[in-house]
Each structure stands twice: as C-alpha cells, then as structure tokens.
Amino acid sequence: MDWELLTAKNGEATLSLNGVQLYSRYRPREDAWKWVDAEFDATKSSYLLIGLGLGYHAERLITLAGNKPVNVYYFEKYEYNFA
C-alpha cells in the first residue's frame, strides 16, 4: 500500500492511498466533520468507526458521542502513525 501524506490548500494534512485522495484537497477536517454530522445518530449507545486515516472523523465522532463509547478499528500501522 502506498500511503502519501500531503498538505491541503488550507495547510491541514490530507492523505492519499495508492494515488486516491481520501480527504478533501481543500478543507479535509471541515469536510470530514460535515460527513460525521450528517451521519450521526444520537440515539445509539455506542459507535464503531472503521479506519482511522488522519483522525478527523474520529475526532468529530468522539466530540458528538459525549460519554458514549467510540470504537475505532484500523488495519495499517501507518494509519495509527498518521493520526
């Protein structure tokens, strides 16, 4: 797998995997947060996030979840190192 850590137009870190951009090239954190906001269901008792990436999705989900558990599974050591 070819992970590449890049810099977005706003200066934040962004990431590509095998040449495919995983986050926005312009506002990666903001776009990841918007996605989590749109998918978040406050009625759930816990949350599962598959993949860690740069941690933007996890960061927002943990904030929204409050005291509810958030489990994050990642598959590559690179993900952990990036986050």
Side-chain angles (χ1 to χ4, degrees), residues 1-78:
M1 297 205 159
D2 184 24
W3 294 92
E4 188 175 4
L5 188 59
L6 306 167
T7 302
K9 299 289 184 187
N10 70 352
E12 293 175 342
T14 190
L15 190 62
S16 75
L17 173 61
N18 298 330
V20 176
Q21 195 76 30
L22 300 180
Y23 291 95
S24 166
R25 294 175 192 250
Y26 299 94
R27 298 178 314 270
R29 176 177 275 121
E30 180 183 332
D31 290 347
W33 284 23
K34 283 181 185 178
W35 185 86
V36 172
D37 289 349
E39 297 295 322
F40 185 75
D41 182 347
T43 66
K44 302 302 178 191
S45 60
S46 64
Y47 302 92
L48 172 64
L49 185 61
I50 306 293
L52 187 55
L54 292 172
Y56 297 143
H57 294 90
E59 177 182 38
R60 184 62 174 168
L61 183 55
I62 289 167
T63 299
L64 294 176
N67 292 328
K68 297 176 184 177
V70 175
N71 297 293
V72 179
Y73 288 94
Y74 62 93
F75 301 97
E76 298 282 335
K77 185 174 180 177
Y78 293 107

